[in-house]
Amino acid sequence: MGVLIPAGLLLGLAVAVPVLLHLLHRTERDRVSFPALQYLLRMERDHARQIRMRQWLLLALRIALLLLLALAAARTVLRSGGAAHPPTGVVMVLDNSMSSGRVVGTGRVLDTLQARALQTLDLAGDGDRFWVLRAGSPWETVTPLSPSEARVRVVETSVVDTYADLTEAVRRARTIVERSESPRGEVHLLSDLQATAFPVGAAPDSSPVVPVLAWTGSTAEETNGYIRSAEIGGGLAPRAGRRTDVSIALGDDPESDEGRGVRLLVGGRLEGAVQAPPGGSVVLPVGPFQTGPLEATIETDPDALSADDRLFVRTVVVPPPSVARVGDPGEFLLAALDLLEEEGRISTGAPATADVIVASDGVIPASIAAGQHLVIVPAADAARRAALGRQLSDLGVPLGVAPLRPGEARVDRDGTGAGLEGVIVRNSGRVAPGPGARSRVTLDDGTVWAATATTPGGGEVTLLGSPLLPDRTDIPLSAGMIPLVEWLVGRSSGDAGTGGLAGDTLRVSVRATEVESPTGTRTAVDGTLEFRATGRVGIWSILAGDTVVERRVLNAPPRESLLEPLDASELADRLGGRIETAASASRWRSSIYLERQGRELWRPLLLLALLVMVVESLVGATGRTETTRSSATNEALRARNT
Amino acid sequence: MSPTRARRPDLLDPPTLARLGGLELLARKVVEGFLMGLHRSPHRGFSAEFAELRNYQPGDDLRYIDWRMYGRSDRFFVKQFEEETNLRAHLLLDVSASMDWSSQPGELPSKLWYAKLIAAALSLVLIRQGDTVGLTTFHHEIVSRLPARGGGRQWAEIAHRLDEAEAGGRTLPQTGLRDVATRLRRRGLVVLISDLLVDREETLTSLRFLKHRGHEVLVMHLIDPGERDLPPGADVRFFDPETERELRINAADVREDYREAVAEAIREWERALVPDGIDYHVLDTDRPLSLALRAYFRKRERLG
């Protein structure tokens, strides 16, 4: 005998109500004038024992009724003895995602999850079939296993640095059970039940029939510190020979008083360190570095979950871009370019060879070489704007020049990182991005002020909506002017940043033969041009023979760092269907193999409750109505008396 | 019910009857209706010793109509004989607080109202038959005493006393019964009209004492239908309006036992009274008064 919803037994507390009523015999009653009180006294004298007996019987029946209802509400089951159960197909969703590497006591969460899985296998019968679905490794194929084979797979499961979508994993597990030949099946969800692993809005199956038994004994109770993000040089590639700033954001608990040490290492050598406030951001100046790839590791003090206490970054240190100026840029843009040159951020070059060409006043070069970046600052008068539009069209650039608009508009979205939001643009033209073009700055009237597109020859063009002059926009007078210009002339120097996330699919070129993990393990790539088994954080290499074709950075998924568990009561909403939970090893042992638990007793219990209700009514009625008999008695007495 | 029956006041249910008029008028109507329904005179014991003539009443035996007087006056007269005036009746009316109770106030008259109407109707019948009637009202003590006499004035006095009678005090029937027993020198008929919510043994002793003194005794036990059954509701605190004694009980749980207790109490009264030659009638206050009158006439028949 056991119960599936122990909370239902709380209903049994309701037995206190009739008991209290019986004992207290209610203090508040109606007071009724009744001259025939002596008949009542006589009745009480004659039937006191009988009345008491009936009242006790009624009390017992009412208590029994409530207890039966409580047992029914708790979904009482009558278990057959031992571990015997009919052949069952069990899909064990084993959460080996990054968060399962959290250390609890002397072991990891995964160790506990594995112990529960082995507990399941200990009670397995010969007819049972198992699938071990590693939620953190969704790229793996899952095959039916015997108990012994499943045991090996469970033991061999290791923590990966990926995110696990448990809603999807359970859906997949249910599908496996439904498609299997096992007449009975169940899904065991072995996880730390991170709330982020159950995406909001992921609708559960309409009516999944396969029950899920979820382990709820490994939920996290502490907060987790981690490195949320890092950015080198504000998104720009570091310049050779110059120091660059690395912005690092921590995902600590802001309530915590303890700061955390943050360090940046390049090739194992410490390049910089800083003490960061909890939940805050710090800027770490590092460098200078020489031209070439720069691979660094940012780390913080490790805690119970250490996988997210490191962040890998990879960028390319480039020399300052050479910038050629064509046309009159106006005094503000000119001053900005001079400043950047004085700071060594850019150098001056000829239009034919420069990395970046800043074309102003409607004058643009006739052609753009591959890899060159053309920044166009249009003229203010309509005639030259119209001519510019025709030139762009001749170059095959999908960017149009829209007419000037009177009035003011404010920057709504700024994709340059210069912080232009809210800055006013007035009497300005607009950019009409064509197919393939990317909007960079958007105004609050929905129009585009800056956009970028590529040329057929492999070059890149960024077109602004108006000159950078105070009568057209407040940008020259704002703090965002220099960052905007640096972004305009510097962005062609190459992307820099933290790359993708562990678990992302790596797209590889046709030349690629192998992919090398951060730990040095090489895996041959197949003909799909995709590599999915990216379970480790770090820098991955895509190889063609022994030649490194590409290096990719994969970091820990931030969602895995958020350990707040999902409330067990919400599991049914997220997963749908029948969900059972177990929070202790003994409870797990008694809950697995649901069929073993035998028939649920709520139907017979309700029938029994109904029967008790009827008996209660009959017993109560002997003292209450018996209308027919009593009326007949009275009528007989009356007739005789007349 | 035929139209004739429907018009007879003695067959009307008490709530309807109560709306027809005052006690005196009602008593007259009830008696006339009742006598009309008998189709024969209730008179017995007509002797050869003629005493007087009186007006014919519906129900009088046609044999005793004085046809000679009819020929002279075109009115029916009945010959009255000496024996008819021999019966001395005394009505004992319980006016204790418990009598002033109705289970449906405003709908159903109280036991006291019903008792007064019975007393008035019986008095009228008796007086019309040439008997003498006395009236004593009592609770724990004698409230009013009217010696037995005959004639129209006596009935008017009885009706007046009944009108004035108000409920109060506790019920001690032996007070009235013993008072009557000591005062009635000639043997006669004693009618006790009460709800009998009394000390049973004391009351029985007094009634037997009356019987022992040679009186014929008729007990009319009034019961409100609300006393046969407990009122609706579960947990109720009952109190006796006479004694203020309270009893807390779950009415829903003991309803049937209570009914049985009432029935058993009635049976006990019957078992205790009838073997001693005391007539006992239970009258429900929601039933027509003809039942009460019929009880009297049965008794009168036996008295001869």
Side-chain angles (χ1 to χ4, degrees):
Chain A
M1 186 82 77
V3 294
L4 301 180
I5 306 176
L9 291 175
L10 292 176
L11 187 64
L13 295 177
V15 299
V17 176
V19 172
L20 286 175
L21 287 179
H22 181 84
L23 294 177
L24 296 177
H25 210 220
R26 282 202 190 165
T27 53
E28 293 299 323
R29 294 155 192 268
D30 297 330
R31 191 165 186 268
V32 174
S33 168
F34 197 67
L37 194 72
Q38 65 173 237
Y39 297 141
L40 273 174
L41 294 169
R42 173 198 178 96
M43 175 219 51
E44 199 178 43
R45 186 186 67 231
D46 293 349
H47 300 280
R49 182 182 167 80
Q50 186 186 344
I51 291 169
R52 269 200 302 275
M53 285 291 290
R54 186 166 60 228
Q55 284 176 337
W56 280 112
L57 182 59
L58 282 171
L59 178 66
L61 286 169
R62 286 162 189 168
I63 289 172
L65 176 65
L66 287 168
L67 288 177
L68 286 169
L69 290 176
L71 288 172
R75 292 177 60 190
T76 305
V77 292
L78 187 63
R79 291 183 184 140
S80 54
H85 58 273
T88 306
V90 180
V91 180
M92 292 189 279
V93 177
L94 189 56
D95 184 0
N96 65 331
S97 63
M98 187 184 82
S99 61
S100 67
R102 178 170 55 94
V103 175
V104 180
T106 57
R108 303 168 303 170
V109 169
L110 181 64
D111 299 333
T112 305
L113 305 182
Q114 286 171 313
R116 294 291 81 75
L118 296 176
Q119 210 176 0
T120 301
L121 295 168
D122 288 343
L123 296 178
D126 292 337
D128 296 330
R129 275 291 169 270
F130 294 88
W131 291 260
V132 180
L133 196 162
R134 293 166 176 157
S137 310
W139 56 82
E140 293 179 347
T141 54
V142 182
T143 54
L145 304 170
S146 67
S148 56
E149 291 168 333
R151 181 177 293 275
V152 172
R153 186 166 165 80
V154 167
V155 171
E156 286 180 346
T157 300
S158 58
V159 176
V160 291
D161 299 329
T162 60
Y163 164 74
D165 182 341
L166 293 177
T167 303
E168 179 56 34
V170 168
R171 183 183 291 131
R172 184 180 169 197
R174 278 175 159 154
T175 304
I176 291 170
V177 173
E178 286 166 1
R179 291 180 181 171
S180 72
E181 295 174 355
S182 299
R184 296 168 188 81
E186 58 196 61
V187 171
H188 292 181
L189 176 56
L190 294 157
S191 164
D192 56 0
L193 295 182
Q194 269 182 291
T196 55
F198 301 89
V200 176
D205 295 348
S206 54
S207 57
V209 293
V210 180
V212 175
L213 174 61
W215 168 250
T216 57
S218 294
T219 53
E221 293 177 358
E222 73 272 23
T223 56
N224 173 46
Y226 62 102
I227 300 174
R228 194 167 67 229
S229 63
E231 190 178 55
I232 299 176
L236 301 175
R239 301 301 180 202
R242 303 195 66 82
R243 290 177 71 80
T244 188
D245 290 338
V246 180
S247 301
I248 302 163
L250 297 183
D252 273 317
D253 177 11
E255 301 295 321
S256 169
D257 294 331
E258 296 179 13
R260 303 187 73 183
V262 178
R263 299 166 291 280
L264 186 142
L265 298 96
V266 175
R269 187 166 60 88
L270 182 66
E271 285 290 334
V274 68
Q275 191 72 10
S281 298
V282 290
V283 175
L284 188 62
V286 293
F289 302 106
Q290 293 182 341
T291 301
L294 173 66
E295 294 177 350
T297 305
I298 301 167
E299 63 178 32
T300 183
D301 304 332
D303 54 16
L305 177 57
S306 59
D308 56 2
D309 296 329
R310 288 182 307 163
L311 190 81
F312 297 90
V313 292
R314 182 176 192 278
T315 187
V316 178
V317 180
V318 294
S322 57
V323 178
R325 306 170 194 185
V326 178
D328 178 11
E331 58 179 316
F332 289 89
L333 178 56
L334 185 62
L337 290 170
D338 288 346
L339 178 67
L340 291 174
E341 187 168 4
E342 285 172 18
E343 290 291 317
R345 308 289 296 174
I346 60 173
S347 61
T348 302
T353 57
D355 298 316
V356 182
I357 304 170
V358 178
S360 309
D361 210 19
V363 180
I364 65 170
S367 63
I368 304 161
Q372 266 191 327
H373 181 206
L374 173 62
V375 178
I376 302 174
V377 183
D381 66 284
R384 279 191 284 179
R385 290 176 67 85
L388 174 63
R390 285 192 296 277
Q391 287 175 290
L392 287 171
S393 176
D394 293 344
L395 286 171
V397 178
L399 293 172
V401 181
L404 295 170
R405 280 195 180 198
E408 292 184 352
R410 289 177 183 274
V411 174
D412 182 38
R413 279 185 295 155
D414 174 21
T416 69
L420 299 179
E421 286 86 356
V423 177
I424 293 173
V425 171
R426 65 179 68 83
N427 301 321
S428 171
R430 303 290 196 272
V431 175
R438 285 174 290 170
S439 300
R440 297 297 192 181
V441 178
T442 310
L443 303 181
D444 59 6
D445 59 5
T447 59
V448 178
W449 186 78
T452 302
T454 54
T455 67
E460 196 173 37
V461 175
T462 298
L463 174 63
L464 305 186
S466 60
L468 292 170
L469 297 171
D471 61 335
R472 298 292 170 179
T473 171
D474 286 348
I475 291 175
L477 309 176
S478 72
M481 179 65 177
I482 299 297
L484 172 66
V485 174
E486 187 170 23
W487 181 84
L488 286 170
V489 300
R491 54 175 304 282
S492 63
S493 302
D495 289 330
T498 53
L501 303 176
D504 286 356
T505 298
L506 287 181
R507 298 191 179 282
V508 299
S509 67
V510 290
R511 290 194 300 140
T513 54
E514 288 178 308
V515 172
E516 186 179 88
S517 74
T519 57
T521 306
R522 290 190 178 191
T523 307
V525 296
D526 55 21
T528 61
L529 304 184
E530 287 184 343
F531 183 78
R532 299 190 63 206
T534 55
R536 296 287 166 210
V537 295
I539 298 175
W540 290 70
S541 299
I542 299 168
L543 306 171
D546 288 333
T547 306
V548 175
V549 178
E550 197 177 353
R551 298 269 283 172
R552 297 270 185 86
V553 171
L554 297 180
N555 278 306
R559 286 183 291 184
E560 279 294 312
S561 300
L562 304 173
L563 299 181
E564 184 186 358
L566 186 73
D567 192 273
S569 61
E570 293 180 59
L571 270 176
D573 292 336
R574 302 292 176 98
L575 300 178
R578 178 182 169 187
I579 307 292
E580 309 292 343
T581 57
S584 66
S586 59
R587 174 79 182 148
W588 181 264
R589 183 185 169 84
S590 62
S591 299
I592 53 178
Y593 303 116
L594 298 167
E595 288 289 337
R596 179 173 59 118
Q597 295 169 4
R599 199 159 57 94
E600 277 198 50
L601 295 179
W602 65 270
R603 277 196 185 86
L605 286 170
L606 284 183
L607 281 174
L608 197 55
L610 194 64
L611 184 66
V612 170
M613 211 182 299
V614 170
V615 173
E616 191 271 348
S617 301
L618 290 175
V619 172
T622 57
R624 287 177 193 152
T625 52
E626 291 194 6
T627 310
T628 310
R629 188 163 74 84
S630 60
S631 297
T633 306
N634 282 337
E635 288 304 318
L637 281 168
R638 286 181 172 204
R640 196 173 57 170
N641 291 327
T642 57
Chain B
M1 185 180 288
S2 69
T4 307
R5 263 177 85 82
R7 281 196 300 272
R8 281 178 50 189
D10 61 310
L11 299 179
L12 292 177
D13 60 281
T16 309
L17 193 60
R19 289 193 287 270
L20 294 181
L23 181 66
E24 190 175 340
L25 178 64
L26 283 179
R28 284 184 186 279
K29 286 183 175 180
V30 167
V31 169
E32 283 164 5
F34 178 76
L35 294 177
M36 192 186 300
L38 283 180
H39 299 298
R40 66 183 182 84
S41 173
H43 293 218
R44 285 289 184 275
F46 278 62
S47 70
E49 195 174 342
F50 174 76
E52 61 177 348
L53 289 172
R54 62 168 173 81
N55 286 329
Y56 170 79
Q57 294 177 42
D60 280 346
D61 194 330
L62 297 178
R63 287 178 299 169
Y64 300 106
I65 291 178
D66 189 333
W67 297 107
R68 197 170 297 169
M69 285 297 291
Y70 174 71
R72 285 206 294 255
S73 64
D74 271 352
R75 291 171 62 194
F76 291 112
F77 289 91
V78 178
K79 285 180 263 187
Q80 194 107 19
F81 296 87
E82 188 64 32
E83 284 79 356
E84 285 187 82
T85 60
N86 282 346
L87 181 63
R88 297 173 70 86
H90 203 90
L91 307 182
L92 269 168
L93 180 64
D94 178 3
V95 293
S96 64
S98 66
M99 290 288 286
D100 191 24
W101 188 83
S102 166
S103 57
Q104 302 163 57
E107 296 287 328
L108 187 68
S110 67
K111 290 181 282 185
L112 184 60
W113 182 91
Y114 197 87
K116 285 178 178 180
L117 196 55
I118 290 173
L122 282 180
S123 301
L124 185 59
V125 169
L126 286 160
I127 286 173
R128 281 189 177 180
Q129 290 177 168
D131 296 332
T132 62
V133 187
L135 173 69
T136 299
T137 58
F138 69 94
H139 38 66
H140 57 274
E141 58 188 19
I142 302 298
V143 176
S144 134
R145 187 185 299 118
L146 184 64
R149 292 193 194 91
R153 282 188 179 179
Q154 175 71 354
W155 188 76
E157 182 61 24
I158 288 174
H160 174 67
R161 296 279 180 103
L162 289 172
D163 255 344
E164 287 188 333
E166 288 183 355
R170 298 180 56 192
T171 317
L172 283 177
Q174 56 269 36
T175 307
L177 290 168
R178 286 184 178 162
D179 180 73
V180 169
T182 54
R183 289 177 182 279
L184 288 183
R185 296 195 190 99
R186 289 178 58 189
R187 283 181 286 181
L189 171 65
V190 176
V191 181
L192 172 63
I193 306 170
S194 168
D195 56 9
L196 293 185
L197 297 173
V198 296
D199 184 309
R200 188 165 159 275
E201 292 307 320
E202 287 283 344
T203 306
L204 281 174
T205 303
S206 300
L207 287 168
R208 285 170 183 151
F209 178 67
L210 268 175
K211 183 70 183 173
H212 181 70
R213 295 284 298 266
H215 297 292
E216 289 300 323
V217 181
L218 171 59
V219 176
M220 292 187 171
H221 183 177
L222 301 189
I223 291 188
D224 185 290
E227 290 173 328
R228 285 191 181 271
D229 206 345
L230 289 176
D235 293 292
V236 186
R237 195 165 42 147
F238 295 105
F239 74 95
D240 185 340
E242 287 187 7
T243 62
E244 286 294 322
R245 182 173 179 182
E246 279 191 4
L247 182 64
R248 295 176 173 190
I249 206 155
N250 188 319
D253 285 347
V254 300
R255 200 174 297 284
E256 175 58 16
D257 291 332
Y258 173 78
R259 284 198 196 100
E260 192 54 43
V262 175
E264 180 57 25
I266 292 171
R267 283 194 291 270
E268 282 183 0
W269 278 111
E270 194 171 14
R271 282 198 296 268
L273 295 172
V274 173
D276 288 340
I278 299 172
D279 284 81
Y280 171 74
H281 292 275
V282 177
L283 300 173
D284 289 88
T285 59
D286 61 342
R287 307 298 288 270
L289 266 81
S290 60
L291 300 175
L293 296 177
R294 199 169 295 152
Y296 157 72
F297 279 112
R298 282 187 195 150
K299 182 75 177 173
R300 187 72 173 80
E301 278 176 0
R302 282 201 296 276
L303 292 177

